[in-house]
Amino acid sequence: MAPRRPPKKRRIRDATTVPAAASDALLSLPPEVLDEILGRLDLSDAVRTCALCRAWRHRWESLPSIDIYTPIGQQSLWTVDCVLPRFSGRVRRFDVSLDELSTRRLDDWLLVLSPRGGVEDLELSPPCPYKFFSLHSTVFSWRRLISIDLFACHIPPLPPDFEGFPNLKVLSLANVKLQQNGEYQLEEIIETSPLLEQLILCEVCIVGDDFIEWEIRATNLRHITICSNIDYGWNFAELQCLNSAVIDLWEYVGNRDFAKFLAGLVQVRKLSLCSFYAPVNGIKILETLPCTFDNLKSLKLFMHFCELPPILLVFCFLRSTPNLEKLKIRIYDGKEQKIEANGELLNAQWTDGMCANLQILEMTGINWLPNEISFMKLILSKAKLLHKLSISHDDDCSLSHVDPLDELVTCGRASAQAQILFQGAAGSY
């Protein structure tokens, strides 16, 4: 019997050869392709490629640009301090959630980024509960910025050599503090940003008691949001491209011309206005607007029907918005009527052509007050293109909806297509 041959030993492949071969294959790609691949990775994943093999150890450091993004809960201090010393290229995005330790290092980081001159997207915010941080003035020299988003920070005065942000498209300032005469500073930043498309000023605080009237002048602006419980003298000028606006001034007080203020938004197509207009010091109640909002298609008002000024303001808008298609009214703090605005009074406010294109009326958070019902009945009887009347009552409303709803259902309608939809309690908005 022939001797049995010994079995062949199977070669066990080194486990490191597969990733090494794969990394070698990647390295054979053109540098611009590698840059594209690494540039699509999160920063942490791009840095981890240094573990593939010796040749990859410093590959990420030679990228033309990177994005630094540290969301809430991530250690910003460790991430930024590890990356910035090793990467000498351009940082396109610097989006950092600041904790107490990283806030102390922020000035150093911004000064390191300044000579590189490439940051396009800057977003800085502390976690909640937040503490204000101070922004270094070197940011005013970053002329490639496209977006600035700052929350809860002290903004320093503009340097004498400030030349503007020629590429800025988005400016969002929320809960920021400016020094005295900060309205001049805002005006200059906005006016020297010719490409600005979106402006958000939410709870901006300007030190001082007296504020001049100043203008938000931005010929390319598409959207604006202003939320403030203090009148800092805002006015609008040359907003030819404005598409949408959210104006929440809580109470519009003082001696300024409210009609002039509204006229600055004349080009807008979609407007949300929260301003409990109450004239003081003998100022005449606003009854007409000096302009026509020909482009306005959608209007949302936060108001009530308990006093005459807000009721007349609604009719001011209806007379000045010939192409309005959607009207949303959110009742706020309107539980007790102080005047009676019955059908006769409201009908006297009606003019030819009013609500000629209105298709949707939404009444949210009503209290089934007679003034509210009279307004809805008037719209039902006049709006010939109305498709839908949507109604929801306030969560705390104690009045029954049965009788007033029957009254609306049985009243005359100018549009045969008009439907009345009762949505129940309004809930959150």
Side-chain angles (χ1 to χ4, degrees):
M1 179 182 292
R4 182 177 297 174
R5 293 182 180 179
K8 292 184 179 180
K9 294 183 179 181
R10 297 181 64 184
R11 278 181 73 182
I12 300 177
R13 212 165 21 166
D14 187 353
T16 62
T17 59
V18 175
S23 63
D24 289 342
L26 284 172
L27 281 174
S28 66
L29 295 172
E32 59 273 15
V33 176
L34 277 179
D35 291 343
E36 181 70 19
I37 293 173
L38 288 175
R40 292 177 179 271
L41 299 177
D42 290 335
L43 178 61
S44 57
D45 292 332
V47 173
R48 288 191 187 102
T49 61
C50 66
L52 288 175
C53 65
R54 185 185 300 274
W56 279 84
R57 186 166 298 171
H58 302 288
R59 183 63 186 81
W60 72 271
E61 298 173 23
S62 63
L63 284 171
S65 61
I66 61 171
D67 295 342
I68 295 179
Y69 168 59
T70 61
I72 295 175
Q74 199 173 98
Q75 295 182 350
S76 303
L77 182 66
W78 181 88
T79 302
V80 182
D81 272 347
C82 286
V83 170
L84 279 185
R86 296 179 61 184
F87 181 77
S88 58
R90 183 165 72 91
V91 176
R92 291 173 306 192
R93 179 187 182 192
F94 193 71
D95 181 349
V96 178
S97 177
L98 300 165
D99 53 26
E100 187 173 351
L101 291 176
S102 58
T103 298
R104 299 174 188 172
R105 294 282 291 130
L106 180 60
D107 281 0
D108 295 331
W109 296 339
L110 298 180
L111 288 169
V112 168
L113 291 170
S114 272
R116 305 182 189 184
V119 178
E120 297 178 356
D121 187 346
L122 176 66
E123 184 170 347
L124 300 172
S125 63
C128 293
Y130 60 85
K131 293 182 179 179
F132 279 80
F133 66 93
S134 296
L135 184 71
H136 198 284
S137 61
T138 188
V139 169
F140 293 127
S141 66
W142 295 7
R143 292 175 58 79
R144 294 185 68 166
L145 277 170
I146 295 175
S147 175
I148 299 175
D149 189 340
L150 302 175
F151 176 75
C153 77
H154 294 275
I155 297 181
L158 292 175
D161 59 348
F162 177 67
E163 296 180 355
F165 296 116
N167 298 294
L168 191 66
K169 293 184 177 181
V170 177
L171 176 60
S172 177
L173 304 177
N175 289 85
V176 302
K177 294 183 178 180
L178 294 98
Q179 297 185 7
Q180 193 163 9
N181 298 323
E183 60 269 32
Y184 289 111
Q185 182 172 348
L186 282 175
E187 186 176 42
E188 184 172 355
I189 291 173
I190 295 168
E191 192 166 0
T192 55
S193 302
L195 300 183
L196 190 64
E197 296 180 356
Q198 181 174 335
L199 175 63
I200 299 174
L201 302 175
C202 185
E203 300 302 335
V204 172
C205 175
I206 301 176
V207 175
D209 297 321
D210 298 321
F211 306 103
I212 62 159
E213 289 196 28
W214 60 283
E215 291 182 338
I216 294 175
R217 189 183 302 272
T219 56
N220 203 49
L221 198 66
R222 266 65 171 172
H223 172 82
I224 185 170
T225 292
I226 294 181
C227 298
S228 177
N229 58 1
I230 297 176
D231 178 12
Y232 287 115
W234 334 84
N235 276 313
F236 310 106
E238 299 182 17
L239 305 183
Q240 298 98 322
C241 297
L242 192 64
N243 182 68
S244 59
V246 176
I247 309 296
D248 183 353
L249 295 181
W250 195 246
E251 289 186 22
Y252 194 95
V253 296
N255 298 316
R256 294 212 291 131
D257 187 343
F258 192 40
K260 175 186 175 184
F261 173 83
L262 293 174
L265 302 168
V266 68
Q267 299 295 338
V268 74
R269 297 175 59 87
K270 184 177 181 180
L271 175 62
S272 175
L273 179 65
C274 178
S275 179
F276 300 115
Y277 173 64
V280 296
N281 298 336
I283 296 178
K284 184 180 179 182
I285 293 176
L286 186 63
E287 296 182 1
T288 59
L289 294 177
C291 59
T292 301
F293 290 75
D294 290 317
N295 299 328
L296 191 62
K297 303 288 187 179
S298 175
L299 175 63
K300 183 176 183 179
L301 297 174
F302 291 76
M303 56 164 292
H304 58 71
F305 285 82
C306 296
E307 299 179 43
L308 191 58
I311 294 175
L312 294 182
L313 181 60
V314 174
F315 284 95
C316 277
F317 271 113
L318 293 182
R319 280 191 291 269
S320 302
T321 53
N323 298 306
L324 187 67
E325 296 176 355
K326 185 174 185 179
L327 174 61
K328 301 174 68 175
I329 295 180
R330 211 314 172 176
I331 303 298
Y332 191 87
D333 195 27
K335 298 181 182 296
E336 183 179 350
Q337 282 192 188
K338 296 182 180 179
I339 60 104
E340 182 183 357
N342 56 27
E344 183 179 353
L345 186 149
L346 297 182
N347 196 61
Q349 301 297 319
W350 197 268
T351 57
D352 292 338
M354 189 182 292
C355 296
N357 292 286
L358 187 67
Q359 300 175 24
I360 298 173
L361 172 61
E362 293 184 9
M363 299 286 291
T364 305
I366 68 171
N367 294 284
W368 300 111
L369 299 179
N371 289 353
E372 298 167 342
I373 297 170
S374 294
F375 178 77
M376 290 185 283
K377 290 174 66 176
L378 179 70
I379 298 298
L380 283 170
S381 67
K382 299 288 189 180
K384 297 179 179 180
L385 298 183
L386 191 69
H387 292 166
K388 181 177 72 172
L389 167 58
S390 176
I391 307 169
S392 63
H393 61 69
D394 184 77
D395 293 357
D396 299 324
C397 181
S398 58
L399 297 178
S400 172
H401 66 274
V402 177
D403 290 340
L405 197 57
D406 284 343
E407 186 177 348
L408 289 172
V409 171
T410 56
C411 79
R413 307 181 196 183
S415 170
Q417 288 78 34
Q419 294 182 328
I420 300 176
L421 304 178
F422 177 53
Q423 309 289 355
S428 62
Y429 60 94

